[in-house]
Amino acid sequence: VGDTGDGFDASYHVARMLARSNLRVRVDGGGGVLPPNRVVRVRTYKAAPLTLLLGDLCYPTPTPLAYRRRFIDVFRDALPPPPHSLTADERYVEQCMRSDEALLPLPAMVASEERSESASRSAAAATSSAATAITKYLYAIPGNHDAYDGGYCFTATMLQSPRMGGWRTLQQSSYFALLLPSRWWFFCFDNALSEDIDAQQLYYFSEVIEKCI
């Protein structure tokens, strides 16, 4: 997905489409998309577990408040995280993201033996429904607008938070390589506001090509 939108309405529409478990499309016999009054049949496409955002997560200017209102809140509202799936750290992050206060350092992980008996029962009861849910993963590369603050908001959102609503965020850098089924690869670069990648990225992708492809 390219730009996610410049405000809540547009961004929310994009996020809701990404959050759906499947997409029903009107098609003709050859697979082409048709207008509503020329429906031949409806084809259902299952959602992929991976969403890749191609930059400009917050438009036009990234600030912590703008990022939260134009991107974080939108995606969290479109696909809220299952409450039982959150760890103590993740619940703390979600609580802070809903407030206007700055994000504080994460507390220590809560040991399993410190959980109350009622919490354990609730987690066990939710296991069966959670097992049928599809885990969705969210990756992103920064666009030019994400670089206007030096990448601060992008880093705090995509690299330092374990979850974006119902999506898991696992990337550890603004550039990465993703191996897809059938041995397809996504090479995702971060050229910031320049026309080329830096030496560190060149070394990383060279290593991936040499050792993995």
Side-chain angles (χ1 to χ4, degrees):
V1 179
D3 292 3
T4 55
D6 58 359
F8 190 90
D9 290 345
S11 301
Y12 185 75
H13 183 73
V14 172
R16 280 295 298 155
M17 295 296 288
L18 295 175
R20 296 178 63 172
S21 58
N22 57 67
L23 183 64
R24 294 169 58 85
V25 180
R26 296 178 294 268
V27 298
D28 60 16
V33 178
L34 291 173
N37 59 344
R38 294 181 55 193
V39 175
V40 175
R41 60 194 178 93
V42 175
R43 177 174 295 176
T44 300
Y45 296 91
K46 185 178 179 180
L50 171 66
T51 297
L52 177 60
L53 304 179
L54 304 180
D56 289 349
L57 307 186
C58 178
Y59 186 90
T61 305
T63 65
L65 181 59
Y67 238 84
R68 197 195 70 184
R69 290 182 173 176
R70 293 176 177 267
F71 178 67
I72 297 173
D73 285 352
V74 174
F75 271 70
R76 188 178 61 242
D77 289 345
L79 184 63
H84 59 267
S85 69
L86 298 182
T87 65
D89 284 3
E90 290 173 338
R91 284 194 295 271
Y92 180 81
V93 170
E94 290 290 327
Q95 180 181 2
C96 291
M97 288 168 59
R98 286 193 294 268
S99 71
D100 292 324
E101 299 176 358
L103 194 63
L104 302 176
L106 293 177
M109 292 296 292
V110 178
S112 58
E113 58 268 18
E114 295 178 357
R115 295 177 180 175
S116 66
E117 183 179 353
S118 59
S120 298
R121 286 199 303 267
S122 299
T127 301
S128 58
S129 60
T132 60
I134 299 176
T135 301
K136 291 178 174 287
Y137 299 93
L138 185 68
Y139 284 77
I141 54 176
N144 62 310
H145 288 272
D146 299 306
Y148 288 168
D149 67 341
Y152 172 81
C153 290
F154 179 91
T155 298
T157 302
M158 295 304 304
L159 309 186
Q160 298 177 355
S161 177
R163 187 180 294 275
M164 177 62 59
W167 286 272
R168 294 295 310 279
T169 52
L170 303 179
Q171 72 184 84
Q172 300 178 0
S173 174
S174 60
Y175 58 90
F176 48 88
L178 292 176
L179 175 60
L180 305 180
S182 302
R183 299 293 299 176
W184 283 85
W185 284 83
F186 263 134
F187 276 31
C188 302
F189 306 98
D190 176 11
N191 63 344
L193 297 176
S194 64
E195 297 180 355
D196 203 353
I197 61 175
D198 55 29
Q200 186 175 358
Q201 292 185 66
L202 178 61
Y203 174 80
Y204 167 79
F205 289 108
S206 299
E207 287 287 291
V208 172
I209 294 173
E210 180 179 348
K211 297 180 179 180
C212 302
I213 299 180

